[in-house]
Amino acid sequence: MALEARSLAIGFPARTVGEAIDVTLRPGRVACLLGPNGSGKTTLVRTLLALLPPLAGHIALDGRALDAWSPAERARRLAYVPQAAESHFEFTALEMVEMGRASHRGLFAPPGEADRRLAMASLERLGVGDLAARAMQRLSGGERQLVLIARALATEATYLLLDEPTAHLDFGNQARVLGELRGLADAGHGVLFTTHAPDHAFAIGDEAVLLRGGRILAAGPVAEAMTAERLGELYGRPVHVTDVTTADGRRRRICVVS
């Protein structure tokens, strides 16, 4: 089982954003997509979700061409978590998560009791069950992000694709979201997320894909793909990679811009 892209070209009819892209996401793994602004990260994620058609190449979902799955079938296997933004509707957190069940019950069918139970369980799994009745407008950025992840979890999808899930979050909420993503992978989900912070990939990633100018600069296990030399080439600045010891005695790799 895997979500796989081979020789992929991405972009729009009048503009190619990226070419010759190979990506694999497997259940139980965290893949981190890194690159400077304009490198094609969001376009790649949207193409892997079938929200944009590929310009060339092939995408397979669990061994079957992605476009051979119906939209409802894809929605039950692939879940998307956008950046948390201000909500302009009076949805509660629970109602927002219940929307993740739409592919299981039909677009206009109201959620049933089983949907509500699963939505509530998703919130509780992420430690925000106490926010169920609170309006999305009254949640902090970190709380909204966790609710959106809970909505993706409620789809029961195998693969979760997230676009900068830690953007605009404070340090504590970044750590909280990263910890939850690692936990979801450990529970059997395949997790792919974009980030501007290499340290996030060092913290929870299994694989990394370094994208610059629409082409893969490096890809593979985090320790192999994210060397100081490659990160320096990726961001156009000298980078130093080193190991530190955390408070609980674990060794962790971090990077510092020279």
Side-chain angles (χ1 to χ4, degrees), residues 70-109:
S70 71
E73 289 174 324
R74 287 197 299 265
R76 289 193 289 269
R77 289 162 176 83
L78 300 172
Y80 176 47
V81 181
Q83 293 185 36
E86 290 288 344
S87 175
H88 301 290
F89 300 95
E90 289 292 335
F91 295 122
T92 67
L94 182 61
E95 289 170 337
M96 179 62 70
V97 177
E98 287 174 347
M99 293 177 190
R101 300 295 300 162
S103 63
H104 293 269
R105 66 174 188 264
L107 185 59
F108 299 107

PDB file of all heavy atoms in Angstrom, residues 70-109:
ATOM      1  N   SER A  70     -13.070   6.885  -7.793  1.00  0.00           N
ATOM      2  CA  SER A  70     -14.092   7.923  -7.834  1.00  0.00           C
ATOM      3  C   SER A  70     -13.755   8.993  -6.793  1.00  0.00           C
ATOM      4  O   SER A  70     -12.992   8.732  -5.848  1.00  0.00           O
ATOM      5  CB  SER A  70     -15.473   7.331  -7.533  1.00  0.00           C
ATOM      6  OG  SER A  70     -15.564   6.967  -6.163  1.00  0.00           O
ATOM      7  N   PRO A  71     -14.294  10.204  -6.930  1.00  0.00           N
ATOM      8  CA  PRO A  71     -14.032  11.239  -5.932  1.00  0.00           C
ATOM      9  C   PRO A  71     -14.376  10.799  -4.513  1.00  0.00           C
ATOM     10  O   PRO A  71     -13.633  11.103  -3.569  1.00  0.00           O
ATOM     11  CB  PRO A  71     -14.912  12.402  -6.393  1.00  0.00           C
ATOM     12  CG  PRO A  71     -14.992  12.231  -7.878  1.00  0.00           C
ATOM     13  CD  PRO A  71     -15.049  10.742  -8.086  1.00  0.00           C
ATOM     14  N   ALA A  72     -15.474  10.087  -4.339  1.00  0.00           N
ATOM     15  CA  ALA A  72     -15.852   9.623  -3.010  1.00  0.00           C
ATOM     16  C   ALA A  72     -14.853   8.598  -2.476  1.00  0.00           C
ATOM     17  O   ALA A  72     -14.494   8.616  -1.287  1.00  0.00           O
ATOM     18  CB  ALA A  72     -17.261   9.026  -3.037  1.00  0.00           C
ATOM     19  N   GLU A  73     -14.389   7.708  -3.353  1.00  0.00           N
ATOM     20  CA  GLU A  73     -13.393   6.721  -2.934  1.00  0.00           C
ATOM     21  C   GLU A  73     -12.090   7.392  -2.535  1.00  0.00           C
ATOM     22  O   GLU A  73     -11.466   7.023  -1.536  1.00  0.00           O
ATOM     23  CB  GLU A  73     -13.146   5.726  -4.066  1.00  0.00           C
ATOM     24  CG  GLU A  73     -14.295   4.770  -4.330  1.00  0.00           C
ATOM     25  CD  GLU A  73     -14.042   3.906  -5.546  1.00  0.00           C
ATOM     26  OE1 GLU A  73     -13.437   4.393  -6.533  1.00  0.00           O
ATOM     27  OE2 GLU A  73     -14.455   2.727  -5.535  1.00  0.00           O
ATOM     28  N   ARG A  74     -11.673   8.385  -3.320  1.00  0.00           N
ATOM     29  CA  ARG A  74     -10.443   9.110  -2.968  1.00  0.00           C
ATOM     30  C   ARG A  74     -10.597   9.829  -1.632  1.00  0.00           C
ATOM     31  O   ARG A  74      -9.675   9.849  -0.819  1.00  0.00           O
ATOM     32  CB  ARG A  74     -10.089  10.118  -4.070  1.00  0.00           C
ATOM     33  CG  ARG A  74      -9.563   9.492  -5.345  1.00  0.00           C
ATOM     34  CD  ARG A  74      -8.864  10.515  -6.215  1.00  0.00           C
ATOM     35  NE  ARG A  74      -9.742  11.593  -6.632  1.00  0.00           N
ATOM     36  CZ  ARG A  74     -10.398  11.623  -7.797  1.00  0.00           C
ATOM     37  NH1 ARG A  74     -10.264  10.611  -8.651  1.00  0.00           N
ATOM     38  NH2 ARG A  74     -11.161  12.641  -8.108  1.00  0.00           N
ATOM     39  N   ALA A  75     -11.765  10.425  -1.423  1.00  0.00           N
ATOM     40  CA  ALA A  75     -11.992  11.174  -0.183  1.00  0.00           C
ATOM     41  C   ALA A  75     -11.967  10.277   1.044  1.00  0.00           C
ATOM     42  O   ALA A  75     -11.688  10.750   2.151  1.00  0.00           O
ATOM     43  CB  ALA A  75     -13.330  11.914  -0.258  1.00  0.00           C
ATOM     44  N   ARG A  76     -12.253   8.991   0.856  1.00  0.00           N
ATOM     45  CA  ARG A  76     -12.199   8.065   1.996  1.00  0.00           C
ATOM     46  C   ARG A  76     -10.791   7.542   2.240  1.00  0.00           C
ATOM     47  O   ARG A  76     -10.548   6.874   3.251  1.00  0.00           O
ATOM     48  CB  ARG A  76     -13.170   6.901   1.771  1.00  0.00           C
ATOM     49  CG  ARG A  76     -14.639   7.314   1.893  1.00  0.00           C
ATOM     50  CD  ARG A  76     -15.554   6.119   1.973  1.00  0.00           C
ATOM     51  NE  ARG A  76     -15.661   5.399   0.719  1.00  0.00           N
ATOM     52  CZ  ARG A  76     -16.582   5.641  -0.215  1.00  0.00           C
ATOM     53  NH1 ARG A  76     -17.457   6.616  -0.032  1.00  0.00           N
ATOM     54  NH2 ARG A  76     -16.621   4.925  -1.312  1.00  0.00           N
ATOM     55  N   ARG A  77      -9.875   7.822   1.328  1.00  0.00           N
ATOM     56  CA  ARG A  77      -8.501   7.323   1.468  1.00  0.00           C
ATOM     57  C   ARG A  77      -7.471   8.426   1.629  1.00  0.00           C
ATOM     58  O   ARG A  77      -6.402   8.198   2.201  1.00  0.00           O
ATOM     59  CB  ARG A  77      -8.144   6.453   0.248  1.00  0.00           C
ATOM     60  CG  ARG A  77      -8.884   5.126   0.243  1.00  0.00           C
ATOM     61  CD  ARG A  77      -8.884   4.477  -1.123  1.00  0.00           C
ATOM     62  NE  ARG A  77      -9.512   3.151  -1.072  1.00  0.00           N
ATOM     63  CZ  ARG A  77     -10.826   2.965  -1.125  1.00  0.00           C
ATOM     64  NH1 ARG A  77     -11.652   4.009  -1.232  1.00  0.00           N
ATOM     65  NH2 ARG A  77     -11.330   1.744  -1.064  1.00  0.00           N
ATOM     66  N   LEU A  78      -7.794   9.619   1.113  1.00  0.00           N
ATOM     67  CA  LEU A  78      -6.870  10.751   1.180  1.00  0.00           C
ATOM     68  C   LEU A  78      -7.549  11.898   1.922  1.00  0.00           C
ATOM     69  O   LEU A  78      -8.653  12.310   1.553  1.00  0.00           O
ATOM     70  CB  LEU A  78      -6.497  11.234  -0.225  1.00  0.00           C
ATOM     71  CG  LEU A  78      -5.804  10.244  -1.160  1.00  0.00           C
ATOM     72  CD1 LEU A  78      -5.698  10.847  -2.560  1.00  0.00           C
ATOM     73  CD2 LEU A  78      -4.426   9.887  -0.628  1.00  0.00           C
ATOM     74  N   ALA A  79      -6.912  12.400   2.945  1.00  0.00           N
ATOM     75  CA  ALA A  79      -7.459  13.529   3.693  1.00  0.00           C
ATOM     76  C   ALA A  79      -6.499  14.703   3.608  1.00  0.00           C
ATOM     77  O   ALA A  79      -5.279  14.536   3.665  1.00  0.00           O
ATOM     78  CB  ALA A  79      -7.689  13.144   5.156  1.00  0.00           C
ATOM     79  N   TYR A  80      -7.079  15.896   3.488  1.00  0.00           N
ATOM     80  CA  TYR A  80      -6.298  17.122   3.308  1.00  0.00           C
ATOM     81  C   TYR A  80      -6.506  18.034   4.504  1.00  0.00           C
ATOM     82  O   TYR A  80      -7.641  18.269   4.936  1.00  0.00           O
ATOM     83  CB  TYR A  80      -6.750  17.817   2.030  1.00  0.00           C
ATOM     84  CG  TYR A  80      -6.104  19.156   1.754  1.00  0.00           C
ATOM     85  CD1 TYR A  80      -4.731  19.345   1.869  1.00  0.00           C
ATOM     86  CD2 TYR A  80      -6.878  20.237   1.339  1.00  0.00           C
ATOM     87  CE1 TYR A  80      -4.143  20.567   1.594  1.00  0.00           C
ATOM     88  CE2 TYR A  80      -6.299  21.467   1.047  1.00  0.00           C
ATOM     89  CZ  TYR A  80      -4.935  21.620   1.185  1.00  0.00           C
ATOM     90  OH  TYR A  80      -4.363  22.835   0.910  1.00  0.00           O
ATOM     91  N   VAL A  81      -5.409  18.567   5.019  1.00  0.00           N
ATOM     92  CA  VAL A  81      -5.474  19.534   6.111  1.00  0.00           C
ATOM     93  C   VAL A  81      -4.805  20.818   5.628  1.00  0.00           C
ATOM     94  O   VAL A  81      -3.583  20.880   5.513  1.00  0.00           O
ATOM     95  CB  VAL A  81      -4.780  19.018   7.382  1.00  0.00           C
ATOM     96  CG1 VAL A  81      -4.892  20.058   8.504  1.00  0.00           C
ATOM     97  CG2 VAL A  81      -5.379  17.689   7.824  1.00  0.00           C
ATOM     98  N   PRO A  82      -5.596  21.858   5.330  1.00  0.00           N
ATOM     99  CA  PRO A  82      -5.000  23.129   4.918  1.00  0.00           C
ATOM    100  C   PRO A  82      -4.471  23.885   6.129  1.00  0.00           C
ATOM    101  O   PRO A  82      -4.644  23.458   7.276  1.00  0.00           O
ATOM    102  CB  PRO A  82      -6.189  23.869   4.284  1.00  0.00           C
ATOM    103  CG  PRO A  82      -7.367  23.355   5.054  1.00  0.00           C
ATOM    104  CD  PRO A  82      -7.062  21.901   5.366  1.00  0.00           C
ATOM    105  N   GLN A  83      -3.825  25.003   5.862  1.00  0.00           N
ATOM    106  CA  GLN A  83      -3.418  25.857   6.972  1.00  0.00           C
ATOM    107  C   GLN A  83      -4.654  26.366   7.702  1.00  0.00           C
ATOM    108  O   GLN A  83      -5.663  26.686   7.091  1.00  0.00           O
ATOM    109  CB  GLN A  83      -2.613  27.055   6.459  1.00  0.00           C
ATOM    110  CG  GLN A  83      -1.271  26.693   5.869  1.00  0.00           C
ATOM    111  CD  GLN A  83      -0.487  27.931   5.484  1.00  0.00           C
ATOM    112  OE1 GLN A  83      -0.544  28.945   6.164  1.00  0.00           O
ATOM    113  NE2 GLN A  83       0.247  27.850   4.392  1.00  0.00           N
ATOM    114  N   ALA A  84      -4.570  26.412   9.027  1.00  0.00           N
ATOM    115  CA  ALA A  84      -5.696  26.894   9.820  1.00  0.00           C
ATOM    116  C   ALA A  84      -5.844  28.392   9.612  1.00  0.00           C
ATOM    117  O   ALA A  84      -4.909  29.153   9.823  1.00  0.00           O
ATOM    118  CB  ALA A  84      -5.481  26.584  11.301  1.00  0.00           C
ATOM    119  N   ALA A  85      -7.021  28.810   9.169  1.00  0.00           N
ATOM    120  CA  ALA A  85      -7.302  30.225   8.963  1.00  0.00           C
ATOM    121  C   ALA A  85      -8.500  30.623   9.818  1.00  0.00           C
ATOM    122  O   ALA A  85      -9.191  29.776  10.387  1.00  0.00           O
ATOM    123  CB  ALA A  85      -7.583  30.496   7.485  1.00  0.00           C
ATOM    124  N   GLU A  86      -8.738  31.905   9.915  1.00  0.00           N
ATOM    125  CA  GLU A  86      -9.905  32.376  10.643  1.00  0.00           C
ATOM    126  C   GLU A  86     -11.170  31.802  10.027  1.00  0.00           C
ATOM    127  O   GLU A  86     -11.309  31.747   8.803  1.00  0.00           O
ATOM    128  CB  GLU A  86      -9.967  33.904  10.613  1.00  0.00           C
ATOM    129  CG  GLU A  86      -8.900  34.594  11.445  1.00  0.00           C
ATOM    130  CD  GLU A  86      -9.155  34.468  12.941  1.00  0.00           C
ATOM    131  OE1 GLU A  86     -10.278  34.115  13.325  1.00  0.00           O
ATOM    132  OE2 GLU A  86      -8.225  34.707  13.717  1.00  0.00           O
ATOM    133  N   SER A  87     -12.078  31.353  10.875  1.00  0.00           N
ATOM    134  CA  SER A  87     -13.356  30.840  10.392  1.00  0.00           C
ATOM    135  C   SER A  87     -14.378  31.973  10.398  1.00  0.00           C
ATOM    136  O   SER A  87     -14.477  32.731  11.361  1.00  0.00           O
ATOM    137  CB  SER A  87     -13.847  29.695  11.280  1.00  0.00           C
ATOM    138  OG  SER A  87     -15.134  29.274  10.879  1.00  0.00           O
ATOM    139  N   HIS A  88     -15.147  32.099   9.312  1.00  0.00           N
ATOM    140  CA  HIS A  88     -16.152  33.155   9.214  1.00  0.00           C
ATOM    141  C   HIS A  88     -17.568  32.585   9.338  1.00  0.00           C
ATOM    142  O   HIS A  88     -18.534  33.271   9.030  1.00  0.00           O
ATOM    143  CB  HIS A  88     -15.988  33.901   7.894  1.00  0.00           C
ATOM    144  CG  HIS A  88     -14.635  34.532   7.735  1.00  0.00           C
ATOM    145  ND1 HIS A  88     -14.225  35.620   8.474  1.00  0.00           N
ATOM    146  CD2 HIS A  88     -13.583  34.207   6.942  1.00  0.00           C
ATOM    147  CE1 HIS A  88     -13.000  35.959   8.143  1.00  0.00           C
ATOM    148  NE2 HIS A  88     -12.574  35.123   7.220  1.00  0.00           N
ATOM    149  N   PHE A  89     -17.657  31.325   9.771  1.00  0.00           N
ATOM    150  CA  PHE A  89     -18.953  30.692   9.946  1.00  0.00           C
ATOM    151  C   PHE A  89     -19.091  30.229  11.391  1.00  0.00           C
ATOM    152  O   PHE A  89     -18.106  29.978  12.072  1.00  0.00           O
ATOM    153  CB  PHE A  89     -19.100  29.503   8.987  1.00  0.00           C
ATOM    154  CG  PHE A  89     -18.982  29.883   7.536  1.00  0.00           C
ATOM    155  CD1 PHE A  89     -17.768  29.791   6.866  1.00  0.00           C
ATOM    156  CD2 PHE A  89     -20.080  30.358   6.846  1.00  0.00           C
ATOM    157  CE1 PHE A  89     -17.653  30.144   5.531  1.00  0.00           C
ATOM    158  CE2 PHE A  89     -19.972  30.712   5.514  1.00  0.00           C
ATOM    159  CZ  PHE A  89     -18.762  30.610   4.856  1.00  0.00           C
ATOM    160  N   GLU A  90     -20.321  30.112  11.838  1.00  0.00           N
ATOM    161  CA  GLU A  90     -20.583  29.771  13.239  1.00  0.00           C
ATOM    162  C   GLU A  90     -20.608  28.260  13.467  1.00  0.00           C
ATOM    163  O   GLU A  90     -21.459  27.755  14.189  1.00  0.00           O
ATOM    164  CB  GLU A  90     -21.921  30.399  13.684  1.00  0.00           C
ATOM    165  CG  GLU A  90     -21.876  31.899  13.834  1.00  0.00           C
ATOM    166  CD  GLU A  90     -21.000  32.325  15.013  1.00  0.00           C
ATOM    167  OE1 GLU A  90     -20.841  31.526  15.949  1.00  0.00           O
ATOM    168  OE2 GLU A  90     -20.488  33.456  14.990  1.00  0.00           O
ATOM    169  N   PHE A  91     -19.672  27.525  12.860  1.00  0.00           N
ATOM    170  CA  PHE A  91     -19.591  26.096  13.107  1.00  0.00           C
ATOM    171  C   PHE A  91     -18.893  25.859  14.437  1.00  0.00           C
ATOM    172  O   PHE A  91     -17.919  26.540  14.782  1.00  0.00           O
ATOM    173  CB  PHE A  91     -18.801  25.394  11.996  1.00  0.00           C
ATOM    174  CG  PHE A  91     -19.456  25.451  10.649  1.00  0.00           C
ATOM    175  CD1 PHE A  91     -18.797  26.012   9.567  1.00  0.00           C
ATOM    176  CD2 PHE A  91     -20.727  24.931  10.453  1.00  0.00           C
ATOM    177  CE1 PHE A  91     -19.385  26.061   8.316  1.00  0.00           C
ATOM    178  CE2 PHE A  91     -21.326  24.973   9.201  1.00  0.00           C
ATOM    179  CZ  PHE A  91     -20.664  25.542   8.136  1.00  0.00           C
ATOM    180  N   THR A  92     -19.368  24.866  15.169  1.00  0.00           N
ATOM    181  CA  THR A  92     -18.626  24.430  16.335  1.00  0.00           C
ATOM    182  C   THR A  92     -17.497  23.497  15.901  1.00  0.00           C
ATOM    183  O   THR A  92     -17.471  23.019  14.763  1.00  0.00           O
ATOM    184  CB  THR A  92     -19.538  23.686  17.320  1.00  0.00           C
ATOM    185  OG1 THR A  92     -19.964  22.449  16.709  1.00  0.00           O
ATOM    186  CG2 THR A  92     -20.748  24.522  17.706  1.00  0.00           C
ATOM    187  N   ALA A  93     -16.595  23.237  16.817  1.00  0.00           N
ATOM    188  CA  ALA A  93     -15.503  22.313  16.506  1.00  0.00           C
ATOM    189  C   ALA A  93     -16.053  20.942  16.129  1.00  0.00           C
ATOM    190  O   ALA A  93     -15.563  20.305  15.186  1.00  0.00           O
ATOM    191  CB  ALA A  93     -14.565  22.203  17.697  1.00  0.00           C
ATOM    192  N   LEU A  94     -17.061  20.471  16.850  1.00  0.00           N
ATOM    193  CA  LEU A  94     -17.634  19.162  16.545  1.00  0.00           C
ATOM    194  C   LEU A  94     -18.272  19.159  15.163  1.00  0.00           C
ATOM    195  O   LEU A  94     -18.108  18.198  14.395  1.00  0.00           O
ATOM    196  CB  LEU A  94     -18.672  18.776  17.605  1.00  0.00           C
ATOM    197  CG  LEU A  94     -19.320  17.400  17.425  1.00  0.00           C
ATOM    198  CD1 LEU A  94     -18.275  16.293  17.474  1.00  0.00           C
ATOM    199  CD2 LEU A  94     -20.394  17.163  18.499  1.00  0.00           C
ATOM    200  N   GLU A  95     -19.001  20.218  14.817  1.00  0.00           N
ATOM    201  CA  GLU A  95     -19.612  20.288  13.489  1.00  0.00           C
ATOM    202  C   GLU A  95     -18.549  20.302  12.391  1.00  0.00           C
ATOM    203  O   GLU A  95     -18.726  19.679  11.335  1.00  0.00           O
ATOM    204  CB  GLU A  95     -20.494  21.535  13.391  1.00  0.00           C
ATOM    205  CG  GLU A  95     -21.764  21.443  14.219  1.00  0.00           C
ATOM    206  CD  GLU A  95     -22.493  22.775  14.310  1.00  0.00           C
ATOM    207  OE1 GLU A  95     -21.849  23.837  14.131  1.00  0.00           O
ATOM    208  OE2 GLU A  95     -23.705  22.755  14.595  1.00  0.00           O
ATOM    209  N   MET A  96     -17.454  20.994  12.646  1.00  0.00           N
ATOM    210  CA  MET A  96     -16.370  21.023  11.655  1.00  0.00           C
ATOM    211  C   MET A  96     -15.809  19.620  11.428  1.00  0.00           C
ATOM    212  O   MET A  96     -15.559  19.213  10.288  1.00  0.00           O
ATOM    213  CB  MET A  96     -15.268  21.961  12.137  1.00  0.00           C
ATOM    214  CG  MET A  96     -14.065  22.057  11.204  1.00  0.00           C
ATOM    215  SD  MET A  96     -14.444  22.707   9.566  1.00  0.00           S
ATOM    216  CE  MET A  96     -14.794  24.438   9.969  1.00  0.00           C
ATOM    217  N   VAL A  97     -15.620  18.864  12.497  1.00  0.00           N
ATOM    218  CA  VAL A  97     -15.071  17.519  12.363  1.00  0.00           C
ATOM    219  C   VAL A  97     -16.080  16.586  11.694  1.00  0.00           C
ATOM    220  O   VAL A  97     -15.708  15.719  10.901  1.00  0.00           O
ATOM    221  CB  VAL A  97     -14.635  16.978  13.733  1.00  0.00           C
ATOM    222  CG1 VAL A  97     -14.128  15.539  13.619  1.00  0.00           C
ATOM    223  CG2 VAL A  97     -13.547  17.866  14.329  1.00  0.00           C
ATOM    224  N   GLU A  98     -17.372  16.781  11.993  1.00  0.00           N
ATOM    225  CA  GLU A  98     -18.398  15.946  11.357  1.00  0.00           C
ATOM    226  C   GLU A  98     -18.393  16.094   9.838  1.00  0.00           C
ATOM    227  O   GLU A  98     -18.790  15.165   9.121  1.00  0.00           O
ATOM    228  CB  GLU A  98     -19.776  16.319  11.904  1.00  0.00           C
ATOM    229  CG  GLU A  98     -20.021  15.838  13.323  1.00  0.00           C
ATOM    230  CD  GLU A  98     -21.336  16.342  13.894  1.00  0.00           C
ATOM    231  OE1 GLU A  98     -21.943  17.253  13.285  1.00  0.00           O
ATOM    232  OE2 GLU A  98     -21.740  15.840  14.947  1.00  0.00           O
ATOM    233  N   MET A  99     -17.936  17.237   9.339  1.00  0.00           N
ATOM    234  CA  MET A  99     -17.861  17.420   7.886  1.00  0.00           C
ATOM    235  C   MET A  99     -16.915  16.405   7.240  1.00  0.00           C
ATOM    236  O   MET A  99     -17.059  16.086   6.056  1.00  0.00           O
ATOM    237  CB  MET A  99     -17.383  18.834   7.563  1.00  0.00           C
ATOM    238  CG  MET A  99     -18.346  19.914   7.951  1.00  0.00           C
ATOM    239  SD  MET A  99     -17.664  21.568   7.597  1.00  0.00           S
ATOM    240  CE  MET A  99     -18.871  22.590   8.439  1.00  0.00           C
ATOM    241  N   GLY A 100     -15.970  15.902   8.002  1.00  0.00           N
ATOM    242  CA  GLY A 100     -15.070  14.890   7.482  1.00  0.00           C
ATOM    243  C   GLY A 100     -15.750  13.570   7.179  1.00  0.00           C
ATOM    244  O   GLY A 100     -15.152  12.702   6.527  1.00  0.00           O
ATOM    245  N   ARG A 101     -16.974  13.407   7.621  1.00  0.00           N
ATOM    246  CA  ARG A 101     -17.722  12.169   7.370  1.00  0.00           C
ATOM    247  C   ARG A 101     -18.557  12.234   6.094  1.00  0.00           C
ATOM    248  O   ARG A 101     -19.251  11.275   5.752  1.00  0.00           O
ATOM    249  CB  ARG A 101     -18.649  11.877   8.564  1.00  0.00           C
ATOM    250  CG  ARG A 101     -17.924  11.709   9.884  1.00  0.00           C
ATOM    251  CD  ARG A 101     -17.024  10.503   9.878  1.00  0.00           C
ATOM    252  NE  ARG A 101     -17.784   9.287   9.632  1.00  0.00           N
ATOM    253  CZ  ARG A 101     -17.236   8.140   9.236  1.00  0.00           C
ATOM    254  NH1 ARG A 101     -15.940   8.068   9.016  1.00  0.00           N
ATOM    255  NH2 ARG A 101     -18.000   7.077   9.054  1.00  0.00           N
ATOM    256  N   ALA A 102     -18.514  13.366   5.380  1.00  0.00           N
ATOM    257  CA  ALA A 102     -19.394  13.564   4.224  1.00  0.00           C
ATOM    258  C   ALA A 102     -19.210  12.492   3.163  1.00  0.00           C
ATOM    259  O   ALA A 102     -20.179  12.045   2.534  1.00  0.00           O
ATOM    260  CB  ALA A 102     -19.172  14.948   3.621  1.00  0.00           C
ATOM    261  N   SER A 103     -17.981  12.042   2.947  1.00  0.00           N
ATOM    262  CA  SER A 103     -17.746  11.047   1.893  1.00  0.00           C
ATOM    263  C   SER A 103     -18.329   9.687   2.247  1.00  0.00           C
ATOM    264  O   SER A 103     -18.474   8.828   1.378  1.00  0.00           O
ATOM    265  CB  SER A 103     -16.244  10.904   1.633  1.00  0.00           C
ATOM    266  OG  SER A 103     -15.573  10.420   2.779  1.00  0.00           O
ATOM    267  N   HIS A 104     -18.676   9.489   3.507  1.00  0.00           N
ATOM    268  CA  HIS A 104     -19.244   8.210   3.937  1.00  0.00           C
ATOM    269  C   HIS A 104     -20.775   8.220   3.924  1.00  0.00           C
ATOM    270  O   HIS A 104     -21.385   7.155   3.896  1.00  0.00           O
ATOM    271  CB  HIS A 104     -18.776   7.869   5.358  1.00  0.00           C
ATOM    272  CG  HIS A 104     -17.308   7.588   5.441  1.00  0.00           C
ATOM    273  ND1 HIS A 104     -16.777   6.322   5.300  1.00  0.00           N
ATOM    274  CD2 HIS A 104     -16.252   8.416   5.644  1.00  0.00           C
ATOM    275  CE1 HIS A 104     -15.451   6.379   5.425  1.00  0.00           C
ATOM    276  NE2 HIS A 104     -15.112   7.632   5.632  1.00  0.00           N
ATOM    277  N   ARG A 105     -21.371   9.422   3.960  1.00  0.00           N
ATOM    278  CA  ARG A 105     -22.827   9.454   4.076  1.00  0.00           C
ATOM    279  C   ARG A 105     -23.522  10.169   2.930  1.00  0.00           C
ATOM    280  O   ARG A 105     -24.746  10.216   2.873  1.00  0.00           O
ATOM    281  CB  ARG A 105     -23.210  10.129   5.402  1.00  0.00           C
ATOM    282  CG  ARG A 105     -22.837  11.599   5.495  1.00  0.00           C
ATOM    283  CD  ARG A 105     -23.365  12.253   6.758  1.00  0.00           C
ATOM    284  NE  ARG A 105     -23.172  13.681   6.743  1.00  0.00           N
ATOM    285  CZ  ARG A 105     -22.154  14.320   7.295  1.00  0.00           C
ATOM    286  NH1 ARG A 105     -21.215  13.630   7.911  1.00  0.00           N
ATOM    287  NH2 ARG A 105     -22.073  15.633   7.228  1.00  0.00           N
ATOM    288  N   GLY A 106     -22.775  10.772   2.023  1.00  0.00           N
ATOM    289  CA  GLY A 106     -23.382  11.559   0.962  1.00  0.00           C
ATOM    290  C   GLY A 106     -23.326  13.034   1.298  1.00  0.00           C
ATOM    291  O   GLY A 106     -23.393  13.426   2.470  1.00  0.00           O
ATOM    292  N   LEU A 107     -23.235  13.853   0.261  1.00  0.00           N
ATOM    293  CA  LEU A 107     -22.959  15.273   0.442  1.00  0.00           C
ATOM    294  C   LEU A 107     -24.034  15.991   1.245  1.00  0.00           C
ATOM    295  O   LEU A 107     -23.735  16.848   2.074  1.00  0.00           O
ATOM    296  CB  LEU A 107     -22.804  15.933  -0.934  1.00  0.00           C
ATOM    297  CG  LEU A 107     -22.403  17.406  -0.936  1.00  0.00           C
ATOM    298  CD1 LEU A 107     -21.070  17.581  -0.223  1.00  0.00           C
ATOM    299  CD2 LEU A 107     -22.347  17.940  -2.354  1.00  0.00           C
ATOM    300  N   PHE A 108     -25.295  15.679   1.030  1.00  0.00           N
ATOM    301  CA  PHE A 108     -26.374  16.440   1.658  1.00  0.00           C
ATOM    302  C   PHE A 108     -27.047  15.689   2.808  1.00  0.00           C
ATOM    303  O   PHE A 108     -27.977  16.212   3.414  1.00  0.00           O
ATOM    304  CB  PHE A 108     -27.422  16.823   0.602  1.00  0.00           C
ATOM    305  CG  PHE A 108     -26.856  17.690  -0.491  1.00  0.00           C
ATOM    306  CD1 PHE A 108     -26.641  17.175  -1.762  1.00  0.00           C
ATOM    307  CD2 PHE A 108     -26.512  19.008  -0.240  1.00  0.00           C
ATOM    308  CE1 PHE A 108     -26.109  17.961  -2.771  1.00  0.00           C
ATOM    309  CE2 PHE A 108     -25.971  19.803  -1.239  1.00  0.00           C
ATOM    310  CZ  PHE A 108     -25.780  19.281  -2.510  1.00  0.00           C
ATOM    311  N   ALA A 109     -26.596  14.492   3.097  1.00  0.00           N
ATOM    312  CA  ALA A 109     -27.187  13.733   4.207  1.00  0.00           C
ATOM    313  C   ALA A 109     -26.657  14.272   5.527  1.00  0.00           C
ATOM    314  O   ALA A 109     -25.469  14.557   5.659  1.00  0.00           O
ATOM    315  CB  ALA A 109     -26.847  12.254   4.068  1.00  0.00           C
TER     316      ALA A 109
END
